[in-house]
Amino acid sequence: MRALCLHPMEWSFVTAGADNVKKWHGKDGAFIKNFVGHNAILNAACVNQDGVLFTGGDNGSMRFWDYGTGHCFQQDTTRPQPG
C-alpha cells in the first residue's frame, strides 16, 4: 500500500498500491469493492465530499472515479517526474 485516504463524510476509506484501488468499511475494516482499471503503481489517492476519488500513478497517469460506483469517468496522463 502506498496511499490511503478517508472519505470526509462516510465511514469508509480507500487504499492504493501496486496496481489496484480498494474501498473498505471504516468501522470494521470489511472489504467493499475494487476500483479496476488503473494499471500503474499508485502513489496518490484523495477523495472529496462530492464523491470524486482521484488516483495518481508513478507513470504519470491520473484517474477520477465515482466513489460510490467505482466507475472511472475521466483519465489523463502527464509526464512523470523522476525521483
Side-chain angles (χ1 to χ4, degrees):
M1 178 175 51
R2 292 181 170 237
L4 180 138
C5 67
L6 303 170
H7 191 283
M9 306 298 281
E10 295 180 12
W11 286 95
S12 62
F13 63 96
V14 167
T15 58
D19 64 350
N20 59 30
V21 180
K22 295 183 180 289
K23 183 177 177 180
W24 306 88
H25 191 272
K27 186 174 180 181
D28 60 9
F31 173 75
I32 297 174
K33 71 170 59 186
N34 279 321
F35 291 68
V36 180
H38 203 152
N39 299 322
I41 297 172
L42 302 174
N43 295 319
C46 183
V47 63
N48 68 12
Q49 65 187 11
D50 295 326
V52 177
L53 170 68
F54 165 82
T55 56
D58 69 345
N59 63 354
S61 62
M62 299 175 284
R63 293 202 178 208
F64 295 87
W65 311 81
D66 180 285
Y67 189 77
T69 66
H71 172 71
C72 177
F73 62 86
Q74 186 175 353
Q75 58 186 340
D76 201 359
T77 303
T78 186
R79 185 172 21 147
Q81 298 298 313

